[in-house]
């Protein structure tokens, strides 16, 4: 299970989501305070920008990006979705920090 402190993350909103996800490698966690026990630990993920979307503040973003469960992690490269990790029916994420970092590393390596 992955865990992170929400205060260490920047939040995206409807007005800046598209702009910020087009800037290199970007990881976005769709998050909910009621499921904080299953938050994603992004502290060990590097070489990308990291943001959260609070579903209680911006529910329209969840619908727009077809997010069905929280947490959900979406990795973008220059605005294009590369990979998505979703919670299961119990709202727990099976992916590890290593799984997420592996995708970020692959994007970096593909640039050479």
């Amino acid at each position: 299970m992955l865990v992170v402190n929400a205060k260490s993350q920047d939040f995206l909103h409807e007005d800046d989501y598209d702009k910020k996800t087009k800037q290199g490698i970007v990881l976005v966690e769709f998050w909910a305070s009621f499921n904080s026990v299953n938050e994603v630990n992004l502290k060990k993920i590097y070489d990308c920008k990291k943001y959260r979307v609070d579903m209680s503040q911006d529910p329209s973003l969840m619908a727009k990006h077809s997010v069905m469960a929280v947490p959900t992690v979406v990795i973008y490269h220059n605005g294009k979705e590369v990979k998505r990790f979703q919670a299961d029916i119990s709202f727990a994420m099976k992916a590890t920090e290593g799984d997420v970092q592996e995708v970020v590393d692959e994007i970096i390596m593909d640039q050479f």
Side-chain angles (χ1 to χ4, degrees), residues 85-106:
F85 298 95
Q86 297 182 150
D88 61 18
I89 195 164
S90 69
F91 294 105
M93 180 81 69
K94 300 296 183 207
T96 67
E97 296 93 350
D99 296 331
V100 176
Q101 186 64 55
E102 186 175 308
V103 174
V104 172
D105 293 344
E106 286 175 8

mmCIF file of all heavy atoms in Angstrom, residues 85-106:
data_model
loop_
_atom_site.group_PDB
_atom_site.id
_atom_site.type_symbol
_atom_site.label_atom_id
_atom_site.label_comp_id
_atom_site.label_asym_id
_atom_site.label_seq_id
_atom_site.Cartn_x
_atom_site.Cartn_y
_atom_site.Cartn_z
ATOM 1 N N PHE A 85 -2.919 3.873 -12.918
ATOM 2 C CA PHE A 85 -3.001 2.890 -11.841
ATOM 3 C C PHE A 85 -4.260 3.216 -11.045
ATOM 4 O O PHE A 85 -4.419 4.347 -10.589
ATOM 5 C CB PHE A 85 -1.788 2.972 -10.907
ATOM 6 C CG PHE A 85 -0.475 2.670 -11.582
ATOM 7 C CD1 PHE A 85 0.304 3.710 -12.077
ATOM 8 C CD2 PHE A 85 -0.018 1.373 -11.709
ATOM 9 C CE1 PHE A 85 1.523 3.455 -12.678
ATOM 10 C CE2 PHE A 85 1.195 1.106 -12.318
ATOM 11 C CZ PHE A 85 1.973 2.139 -12.806
ATOM 12 N N GLN A 86 -5.143 2.235 -10.867
ATOM 13 C CA GLN A 86 -6.399 2.476 -10.173
ATOM 14 C C GLN A 86 -6.534 1.606 -8.935
ATOM 15 O O GLN A 86 -6.025 0.486 -8.899
ATOM 16 C CB GLN A 86 -7.588 2.168 -11.091
ATOM 17 C CG GLN A 86 -7.651 3.037 -12.299
ATOM 18 C CD GLN A 86 -8.864 2.749 -13.152
ATOM 19 O OE1 GLN A 86 -9.339 3.649 -13.780
ATOM 20 N NE2 GLN A 86 -9.371 1.543 -13.196
ATOM 21 N N ALA A 87 -7.273 2.120 -7.973
ATOM 22 C CA ALA A 87 -7.601 1.332 -6.793
ATOM 23 C C ALA A 87 -8.555 0.205 -7.197
ATOM 24 O O ALA A 87 -9.281 0.312 -8.185
ATOM 25 C CB ALA A 87 -8.261 2.216 -5.747
ATOM 26 N N ASP A 88 -8.540 -0.833 -6.390
ATOM 27 C CA ASP A 88 -9.471 -1.928 -6.638
ATOM 28 C C ASP A 88 -10.804 -1.649 -5.950
ATOM 29 O O ASP A 88 -11.027 -0.549 -5.432
ATOM 30 C CB ASP A 88 -8.864 -3.262 -6.203
ATOM 31 C CG ASP A 88 -8.543 -3.319 -4.714
ATOM 32 O OD1 ASP A 88 -9.071 -2.487 -3.938
ATOM 33 O OD2 ASP A 88 -7.766 -4.203 -4.326
ATOM 34 N N ILE A 89 -11.665 -2.630 -5.905
ATOM 35 C CA ILE A 89 -12.999 -2.457 -5.326
ATOM 36 C C ILE A 89 -12.964 -2.082 -3.846
ATOM 37 O O ILE A 89 -13.878 -1.459 -3.329
ATOM 38 C CB ILE A 89 -13.854 -3.718 -5.563
ATOM 39 C CG1 ILE A 89 -15.318 -3.410 -5.311
ATOM 40 C CG2 ILE A 89 -13.343 -4.882 -4.751
ATOM 41 C CD1 ILE A 89 -16.261 -4.432 -5.875
ATOM 42 N N SER A 90 -11.865 -2.401 -3.168
ATOM 43 C CA SER A 90 -11.725 -2.050 -1.749
ATOM 44 C C SER A 90 -11.088 -0.670 -1.567
ATOM 45 O O SER A 90 -10.759 -0.288 -0.456
ATOM 46 C CB SER A 90 -10.891 -3.108 -1.025
ATOM 47 O OG SER A 90 -9.545 -3.044 -1.466
ATOM 48 N N PHE A 91 -10.913 0.068 -2.660
ATOM 49 C CA PHE A 91 -10.290 1.396 -2.664
ATOM 50 C C PHE A 91 -8.820 1.351 -2.253
ATOM 51 O O PHE A 91 -8.280 2.341 -1.773
ATOM 52 C CB PHE A 91 -11.048 2.397 -1.791
ATOM 53 C CG PHE A 91 -12.422 2.711 -2.311
ATOM 54 C CD1 PHE A 91 -13.547 2.178 -1.706
ATOM 55 C CD2 PHE A 91 -12.584 3.527 -3.407
ATOM 56 C CE1 PHE A 91 -14.813 2.458 -2.192
ATOM 57 C CE2 PHE A 91 -13.845 3.812 -3.902
ATOM 58 C CZ PHE A 91 -14.960 3.272 -3.287
ATOM 59 N N ALA A 92 -8.173 0.227 -2.449
ATOM 60 C CA ALA A 92 -6.744 0.090 -2.158
ATOM 61 C C ALA A 92 -5.985 -0.031 -3.472
ATOM 62 O O ALA A 92 -6.451 -0.659 -4.422
ATOM 63 C CB ALA A 92 -6.486 -1.131 -1.287
ATOM 64 N N MET A 93 -4.808 0.563 -3.514
ATOM 65 C CA MET A 93 -3.957 0.524 -4.702
ATOM 66 C C MET A 93 -2.996 -0.642 -4.590
ATOM 67 O O MET A 93 -2.305 -0.784 -3.586
ATOM 68 C CB MET A 93 -3.183 1.843 -4.801
ATOM 69 C CG MET A 93 -2.258 1.944 -5.984
ATOM 70 S SD MET A 93 -3.079 2.400 -7.505
ATOM 71 C CE MET A 93 -3.519 4.081 -7.155
ATOM 72 N N LYS A 94 -2.958 -1.472 -5.606
ATOM 73 C CA LYS A 94 -2.032 -2.610 -5.615
ATOM 74 C C LYS A 94 -0.653 -2.217 -6.137
ATOM 75 O O LYS A 94 0.331 -2.864 -5.845
ATOM 76 C CB LYS A 94 -2.594 -3.757 -6.458
ATOM 77 C CG LYS A 94 -3.920 -4.279 -5.955
ATOM 78 C CD LYS A 94 -3.803 -4.895 -4.584
ATOM 79 C CE LYS A 94 -5.136 -5.471 -4.158
ATOM 80 N NZ LYS A 94 -5.319 -5.509 -2.742
ATOM 81 N N ALA A 95 -0.585 -1.153 -6.919
ATOM 82 C CA ALA A 95 0.697 -0.694 -7.468
ATOM 83 C C ALA A 95 1.582 -0.168 -6.345
ATOM 84 O O ALA A 95 1.101 0.370 -5.358
ATOM 85 C CB ALA A 95 0.467 0.398 -8.501
ATOM 86 N N THR A 96 2.874 -0.316 -6.527
ATOM 87 C CA THR A 96 3.852 0.178 -5.560
ATOM 88 C C THR A 96 4.556 1.408 -6.121
ATOM 89 O O THR A 96 4.420 1.732 -7.309
ATOM 90 C CB THR A 96 4.906 -0.902 -5.260
ATOM 91 O OG1 THR A 96 5.675 -1.122 -6.462
ATOM 92 C CG2 THR A 96 4.269 -2.203 -4.792
ATOM 93 N N GLU A 97 5.353 2.048 -5.267
ATOM 94 C CA GLU A 97 6.158 3.171 -5.734
ATOM 95 C C GLU A 97 7.069 2.729 -6.874
ATOM 96 O O GLU A 97 7.294 3.457 -7.829
ATOM 97 C CB GLU A 97 7.017 3.746 -4.607
ATOM 98 C CG GLU A 97 6.246 4.352 -3.480
ATOM 99 C CD GLU A 97 5.973 3.359 -2.350
ATOM 100 O OE1 GLU A 97 6.209 2.138 -2.507
ATOM 101 O OE2 GLU A 97 5.511 3.808 -1.290
ATOM 102 N N GLY A 98 7.586 1.517 -6.764
ATOM 103 C CA GLY A 98 8.462 0.976 -7.804
ATOM 104 C C GLY A 98 7.755 0.828 -9.139
ATOM 105 O O GLY A 98 8.342 1.092 -10.188
ATOM 106 N N ASP A 99 6.504 0.401 -9.112
ATOM 107 C CA ASP A 99 5.721 0.269 -10.350
ATOM 108 C C ASP A 99 5.556 1.629 -11.024
ATOM 109 O O ASP A 99 5.698 1.751 -12.241
ATOM 110 C CB ASP A 99 4.338 -0.314 -10.052
ATOM 111 C CG ASP A 99 4.387 -1.727 -9.507
ATOM 112 O OD1 ASP A 99 5.326 -2.475 -9.831
ATOM 113 O OD2 ASP A 99 3.462 -2.073 -8.727
ATOM 114 N N VAL A 100 5.259 2.636 -10.225
ATOM 115 C CA VAL A 100 5.064 3.980 -10.756
ATOM 116 C C VAL A 100 6.389 4.542 -11.275
ATOM 117 O O VAL A 100 6.461 5.091 -12.378
ATOM 118 C CB VAL A 100 4.445 4.904 -9.687
ATOM 119 C CG1 VAL A 100 4.327 6.330 -10.208
ATOM 120 C CG2 VAL A 100 3.077 4.375 -9.247
ATOM 121 N N GLN A 101 7.456 4.380 -10.492
ATOM 122 C CA GLN A 101 8.763 4.888 -10.902
ATOM 123 C C GLN A 101 9.239 4.217 -12.186
ATOM 124 O O GLN A 101 9.862 4.854 -13.036
ATOM 125 C CB GLN A 101 9.798 4.684 -9.791
ATOM 126 C CG GLN A 101 11.136 5.313 -10.107
ATOM 127 C CD GLN A 101 11.055 6.826 -10.228
ATOM 128 O OE1 GLN A 101 10.593 7.483 -9.305
ATOM 129 N NE2 GLN A 101 11.503 7.374 -11.342
ATOM 130 N N GLU A 102 8.917 2.955 -12.346
ATOM 131 C CA GLU A 102 9.316 2.229 -13.559
ATOM 132 C C GLU A 102 8.724 2.884 -14.809
ATOM 133 O O GLU A 102 9.405 3.016 -15.825
ATOM 134 C CB GLU A 102 8.850 0.777 -13.456
ATOM 135 C CG GLU A 102 9.335 -0.104 -14.581
ATOM 136 C CD GLU A 102 8.944 -1.550 -14.355
ATOM 137 O OE1 GLU A 102 9.228 -2.079 -13.268
ATOM 138 O OE2 GLU A 102 8.359 -2.143 -15.290
ATOM 139 N N VAL A 103 7.491 3.319 -14.731
ATOM 140 C CA VAL A 103 6.862 3.994 -15.872
ATOM 141 C C VAL A 103 7.551 5.332 -16.145
ATOM 142 O O VAL A 103 7.850 5.659 -17.297
ATOM 143 C CB VAL A 103 5.348 4.195 -15.628
ATOM 144 C CG1 VAL A 103 4.721 5.024 -16.742
ATOM 145 C CG2 VAL A 103 4.649 2.852 -15.501
ATOM 146 N N VAL A 104 7.826 6.085 -15.099
ATOM 147 C CA VAL A 104 8.534 7.368 -15.257
ATOM 148 C C VAL A 104 9.905 7.123 -15.893
ATOM 149 O O VAL A 104 10.296 7.819 -16.842
ATOM 150 C CB VAL A 104 8.670 8.094 -13.896
ATOM 151 C CG1 VAL A 104 9.573 9.321 -14.029
ATOM 152 C CG2 VAL A 104 7.294 8.485 -13.359
ATOM 153 N N ASP A 105 10.623 6.127 -15.410
ATOM 154 C CA ASP A 105 11.942 5.805 -15.967
ATOM 155 C C ASP A 105 11.863 5.412 -17.433
ATOM 156 O O ASP A 105 12.723 5.794 -18.241
ATOM 157 C CB ASP A 105 12.610 4.687 -15.156
ATOM 158 C CG ASP A 105 12.977 5.100 -13.743
ATOM 159 O OD1 ASP A 105 13.006 6.320 -13.458
ATOM 160 O OD2 ASP A 105 13.235 4.194 -12.920
ATOM 161 N N GLU A 106 10.837 4.645 -17.814
ATOM 162 C CA GLU A 106 10.676 4.239 -19.204
ATOM 163 C C GLU A 106 10.449 5.453 -20.100
ATOM 164 O O GLU A 106 10.985 5.516 -21.215
ATOM 165 C CB GLU A 106 9.489 3.279 -19.348
ATOM 166 C CG GLU A 106 9.785 1.882 -18.805
ATOM 167 C CD GLU A 106 8.572 0.980 -18.831
ATOM 168 O OE1 GLU A 106 7.520 1.353 -19.408
ATOM 169 O OE2 GLU A 106 8.653 -0.115 -18.247
#
